[in-house]
Amino acid sequence: MSVRVEINKLVKNFEKVEALKEISLKVEEGELFGLIGPDGSGKTTLFRLITNLLVQNNGTIKVGDYDSRKDFKEIRKITGYMPGRFSLYHDLSVEENLNFYAHIFNTTLKENYHLIKDVYSQIEPFKKRKAGDLSGGMKQKLALSCALIHKPELLILDEPTTGVDAVSRKEFWELLKKMQKTGITIMVSTPYMDEASLCDRVALMQNGNLLALETPENIVNQYSGDLWQLSTSNMIKIIVDLEGVGNGIKNIFRFGEKVHITSSGIEFEELNKTIIDFLEPKGHENIIIEKVEPQIEDCFLDLMDEN
Amino acid sequence: MRTILYILQKEFIQVFRDKTMLPIIFVVPIIQLLVLSFTATFEIKNVNLAVVDHDNSVLSSKLISKFSGSAFFKLKGRAVNYKEAELSLKRSDIDQVIVIQNNFEKNLNQGQSTHVQVVTNAINGSAASLMSAYANSIIADFNREIIVEENPLVNFGLPINVQANFWYNPELDYKIFMIPGILVLLVTLIGMFLSAMNLVKEKEIGTIEQINVTPIKKYQFITGKLVPFWIIANIDLAFGLVVAYFVFGITVLGSLPLLFSIASLYLLAVLGLGLLVSTMTNTMQQSMFISWFLLVIFIMMSGLFTPVESMPNWAQIFNYLNPVAYFIKINRMIMLKGSGFADFQREVYLLIVYAISVLTLAITRYRKRV
């Protein structure tokens, strides 16, 4: 069972801050939908509006046939929500938390064990441990179990991988993929752009605006301009040294250990010469420039820069 | 209904898992009861007295020995002159000065009148008037003795012989007056603070966000928060009554079931108030401050220490909003006078209205939002 989510011209203001500026988007049934954006871009606000923890100033949200304002009670029954901040009871054990959430949704751990088996089995050996004593990754798995225990049709995960180590992050996404196969609609937000490529479709948000709404492949395909990767002997002060490098170069940003440079209307030879001439007097050696295929992060940074 | 049971189960696990909770529930009330009932007293004992005796005669030392022989006064020594006594008064070494003038004995023996000056530290007005009354009665007594001695043939009897009977507390023991009030105080503290802290704790830790997206209904959640502390406070009251019996020998003259029914009603009002504070605040600190503020006012105005009847009119009107005042009054009536429902039914009806309004407010004020 899964539902679609339709968001139409959604506006939310907090006093003077416009948190969401006329956002419209659709999430299809059974889709793994990613909400990508930096902190403060409006991801959490959007999720809280869907679950009616906040009320919008304007616009509509429909989860299946339910309206978020009128039928929020129905929506809460079919939605599993995992807040960004760990919100389970620290002083209750893993098992007690799970039983409690199962019971208040009128079900039991036993009855729905099969739904959460994949996630829960990983923390089951620690079921007597207090939730507050779990590691970050285990906390997230427990929170996911609790959000799934009532067989939701829509699963909303607010930054589930923030503050979780790289291995646990990978495991967590694998779990989400498995979860999706059971037919549930999943909306997940993350500030990590590399996680975008794991979603079916992503929405890129910034300052309450929707910058892109596409499949990860299309976002990469739509990338205009050329992308170059630069490395030199002195990567520490490279960004400062590249300041004012000259015409044709649009953007310079760090990408892991390297630097990515975007340009338009300029050939490799010319670019290569410009940069080498510019950097060598500043003491850089082994200057290597090569053309690279854009990854989704490059596209996002480009899109965010345009706005 | 089953949902409420699960919420209750969760709340009880949390209450008893908290290691500071058991001492708070059982040790704190006992200490309060034991400490407050001995110390919260208006009885005056051990008044520190200085005497300035300018006469140094047989009669003047007889008067002084009357003071030093009394249980109320403690002779802190004699001062040579009034200046010295005044200095000790300023330093609060003494509370009262008796000045006996020159020719005290001579004047009396010649059948003339003489003077005794009594100076009292009146920073605490009610204590001062008591001290001064004690001193006056000792001097009056001394006066009468002298008159009888000088005129043995005159029958110096008072025309009206007053016989005082003190009901409900025949020995005028302050503890008997205080204990029913202190019992109210301790269930109030437990009830109000625990409930005011509990809901806001969920807000502060963030667990409320997960709860709010569940289909739990507001009244179920509030009931789940209320019942555990309601039970705990009732147990505390029972515990306090047992201590009052074994330590102070105070038994409940009235009906115990009546006492507990009214306590339960009263606790609904107090817990409701705590939950209301909890719904209106965002951090435990805010909640603690507001409930402390309310409690101090409620307790000071409740008649625990001073009679409500002697407060100004506006304060007596304010006390309609003060649940503590109702229950202290009722509890004293049940415990000490053995009063029945008919004797305080007006207060009970007002408490019912109070409890219903506060709980309704708390439930409507609690929003399943962030």
Side-chain angles (χ1 to χ4, degrees):
Chain A
M1 281 289 282
S2 60
V3 283
R4 59 191 262 146
V5 181
E6 276 177 66
I7 293 166
N8 196 15
K9 293 188 176 158
L10 194 62
V11 177
K12 175 69 190 174
N13 301 323
F14 294 109
E15 312 221 334
K16 281 177 188 159
V17 183
E18 291 178 281
L20 290 177
K21 302 165 187 165
E22 285 216 3
I23 299 270
S24 299
L25 59 87
K26 276 186 195 140
V27 181
E28 299 299 331
E29 291 174 15
E31 197 172 21
L32 176 53
F33 188 89
L35 218 52
I36 320 285
D39 292 343
S41 56
K43 308 186 295 285
T44 301
T45 305
L46 180 60
F47 284 166
R48 285 182 172 171
L49 287 169
I50 297 175
T51 49
N52 199 257
L53 288 170
L54 292 173
V55 179
Q56 63 263 43
N57 296 84
N58 221 331
T60 55
I61 303 171
K62 287 188 91 180
V63 177
D65 293 326
Y66 301 125
D67 179 86
S68 74
R69 277 204 241 196
K70 282 190 302 215
D71 316 312
F72 66 91
K73 284 182 183 160
E74 299 303 316
I75 293 181
R76 282 173 180 175
K77 279 183 198 157
I78 59 162
T79 306
Y81 173 55
M82 184 176 150
R85 187 174 160 198
F86 182 69
S87 298
L88 299 177
Y89 293 98
H90 294 247
D91 45 357
L92 295 187
S93 71
V94 169
E95 206 178 21
E96 285 163 347
N97 266 302
L98 209 46
N99 274 321
F100 175 64
Y101 281 100
H103 285 145
I104 56 180
F105 279 101
N106 267 322
T107 178
T108 58
L109 175 54
K110 216 171 160 188
E111 196 179 320
N112 281 345
Y113 184 82
H114 62 283
L115 291 172
I116 60 165
K117 189 169 166 274
D118 288 331
V119 201
Y120 184 54
S121 59
Q122 299 184 19
I123 48 171
E124 212 172 358
F126 313 102
K127 66 181 179 187
K128 298 282 176 207
R129 194 180 287 188
K130 281 188 202 159
D133 297 336
L134 295 174
S135 71
M138 289 205 284
K139 273 185 184 151
Q140 295 308 74
K141 281 169 194 161
L142 174 59
L144 184 60
S145 306
C146 286
L148 282 169
I149 190 70
H150 60 287
K151 203 172 193 298
E153 297 171 36
L154 170 66
L155 182 62
I156 295 178
L157 308 168
D158 192 3
E159 301 201 2
T161 54
T162 298
V164 174
D165 69 76
V167 179
S168 298
R169 263 171 69 184
K170 196 161 165 281
E171 274 176 16
F172 200 87
W173 276 95
E174 280 163 10
L175 280 171
L176 288 189
K177 287 278 184 192
K178 261 191 193 168
M179 220 60 67
Q180 188 194 7
K181 290 206 181 81
T182 66
I184 187 171
T185 307
I186 303 176
M187 291 182 81
V188 56
S189 73
T190 175
Y192 303 122
M193 295 176 181
D194 56 321
E195 288 179 350
S197 51
L198 301 165
C199 302
D200 294 338
R201 275 193 315 147
V202 291
L204 177 67
M205 291 183 72
Q206 189 185 32
N207 296 330
N209 289 310
L210 209 57
L211 300 187
L213 182 62
E214 270 299 349
T215 61
E217 295 78 25
N218 279 349
I219 286 183
V220 175
N221 291 340
Q222 282 169 7
Y223 187 81
S224 61
D226 300 312
L227 186 71
W228 314 92
Q229 182 170 285
L230 165 73
S231 67
T232 76
S233 59
N234 185 1
M235 293 304 285
I236 293 169
K237 51 196 272 282
I238 180 101
I239 297 283
V240 182
D241 286 349
L242 275 170
E243 240 165 62
V245 62
N247 298 336
I249 291 172
K250 272 167 60 186
N251 232 325
I252 299 161
F253 48 86
R254 275 195 191 278
F255 196 92
E257 290 178 342
K258 310 278 170 63
V259 165
H260 277 188
I261 294 172
T262 59
S263 67
S264 62
I266 180 168
E267 287 306 310
F268 174 73
E269 313 300 329
E270 195 188 339
L271 180 90
N272 198 22
K273 188 174 179 314
T274 316
I275 288 177
I276 290 175
D277 287 351
F278 192 78
L279 284 182
E280 264 181 352
K282 297 184 176 176
H284 290 270
E285 290 164 20
N286 300 332
I287 300 170
I288 300 166
I289 298 173
E290 53 197 344
K291 193 168 165 61
V292 284
E293 282 305 310
Q295 292 181 20
I296 198 145
E297 287 163 272
D298 299 305
C299 308
F300 283 149
L301 289 169
D302 194 52
L303 281 167
M304 281 162 63
D305 196 62
E306 275 174 24
N307 288 274
Chain B
M1 190 59 211
R2 271 181 55 206
T3 310
I4 293 182
L5 288 180
Y6 290 122
I7 301 174
L8 283 178
Q9 184 190 26
K10 178 215 121 198
E11 293 292 334
F12 272 115
I13 294 176
Q14 286 185 301
V15 167
F16 290 108
R17 192 157 288 173
D18 186 344
K19 293 224 162 34
T20 56
M21 218 52 175
L22 281 177
I24 285 178
I25 293 168
F26 293 109
V27 182
V28 171
I30 298 312
I31 294 177
Q32 274 176 343
L33 190 61
L34 294 181
V35 171
L36 282 181
S37 33
F38 282 110
T39 53
T41 166
F42 280 153
E43 285 171 19
I44 302 291
K45 277 181 193 159
N46 304 325
V47 176
N48 290 319
L49 184 75
V51 179
V52 184
D53 188 356
H54 292 299
D55 198 39
N56 280 320
S57 59
V58 178
L59 262 187
S60 70
S61 18
K62 198 172 163 194
L63 176 59
I64 293 165
S65 71
K66 281 230 166 229
F67 275 96
S68 56
S70 149
F72 296 113
F73 293 99
K74 221 163 86 186
L75 204 55
K76 264 290 183 110
R78 292 154 182 266
V80 183
N81 54 33
Y82 182 67
K83 272 254 164 332
E84 197 186 315
E86 202 184 73
L87 222 63
S88 332
L89 201 62
K90 257 188 190 160
R91 283 199 301 264
S92 286
D93 289 344
I94 57 165
D95 306 308
Q96 206 169 32
V97 186
I98 308 281
V99 187
I100 300 171
Q101 59 166 215
N102 235 341
N103 303 330
F104 177 76
E105 192 180 51
K106 195 175 141 207
N107 284 352
L108 282 176
N109 285 341
Q110 289 175 354
Q112 291 174 354
S113 71
T114 185
H115 296 281
V116 174
Q117 188 186 16
V118 178
V119 180
T120 310
N121 170 14
I123 283 183
N124 181 341
S126 60
S129 55
L130 274 174
M131 285 191 269
S132 149
Y134 288 152
N136 280 339
S137 75
I138 286 179
I139 294 167
D141 205 36
F142 180 74
N143 201 6
R144 200 176 316 127
E145 270 175 35
I146 288 174
I147 295 173
V148 174
E149 233 172 75
E150 299 285 305
N151 313 288
L153 299 176
V154 179
N155 179 9
F156 195 79
L158 287 167
I160 299 174
N161 187 8
V162 179
Q163 172 113 40
N165 266 333
F166 297 106
W167 278 30
Y168 309 123
N169 186 0
E171 285 161 25
L172 298 181
D173 184 348
Y174 211 77
K175 287 195 281 297
I176 289 180
F177 171 67
M178 286 308 287
I179 282 169
I182 294 169
L183 283 172
V184 173
L185 188 70
L186 64 91
V187 294
T188 310
L189 286 179
I190 289 279
M192 179 103 176
F193 279 131
L194 292 187
S195 62
M197 290 310 203
N198 189 285
L199 207 159
V200 79
K201 185 178 167 195
E202 297 230 9
K203 283 193 208 172
E204 204 171 304
I205 298 178
T207 48
I208 198 98
E209 194 170 350
Q210 192 81 63
I211 287 289
N212 283 349
V213 294
T214 65
I216 287 183
K217 294 189 172 60
K218 288 181 183 184
Y219 80 89
Q220 294 173 327
F221 191 60
I222 294 285
T223 309
K225 293 283 169 200
L226 192 131
V227 171
F229 302 119
W230 188 66
I231 294 172
I232 287 169
N234 264 316
I235 291 173
D236 253 357
L237 178 61
F239 199 46
L241 284 172
V242 171
V243 174
Y245 174 72
F246 283 108
V247 179
F248 303 101
I250 294 177
T251 47
V252 180
L253 287 184
S255 141
L256 261 178
L258 180 66
L259 178 61
F260 276 94
S261 325
I262 290 168
S264 303
L265 170 64
Y266 165 73
L267 281 168
L268 287 182
V270 169
L271 290 164
L273 209 58
L275 286 171
L276 183 62
V277 171
S278 219
T279 56
M280 295 195 296
T281 50
N282 289 318
T283 64
M284 303 225 279
Q285 199 178 20
Q286 293 168 352
S287 179
M288 189 80 181
F289 188 81
I290 292 176
S291 25
W292 186 239
F293 168 78
L294 285 176
L295 270 185
V296 168
I297 290 184
F298 281 167
I299 290 168
M300 295 312 270
M301 297 186 70
S302 66
L304 175 60
F305 301 107
T306 46
V308 175
E309 289 73 18
S310 52
M311 291 176 192
N313 206 28
W314 59 263
Q316 298 193 29
I317 291 168
F318 170 83
N319 265 336
Y320 278 108
L321 290 176
N322 184 355
V324 186
Y326 293 118
F327 191 39
I328 284 191
K329 185 174 177 190
I330 296 174
N331 199 28
R332 278 182 180 147
M333 286 171 85
I334 296 180
M335 283 183 71
L336 304 180
K337 289 164 76 174
S339 307
F341 179 74
D343 300 317
F344 44 70
Q345 49 176 326
R346 200 181 75 102
E347 278 79 6
V348 174
Y349 294 138
L350 286 169
L351 264 182
I352 292 174
V353 175
Y354 201 104
I356 291 175
S357 339
V358 172
L359 283 173
T360 314
L361 259 177
I363 291 172
T364 41
R365 278 284 321 180
Y366 164 54
R367 299 237 167 273
K368 288 184 77 176
R369 301 261 155 78
V370 281

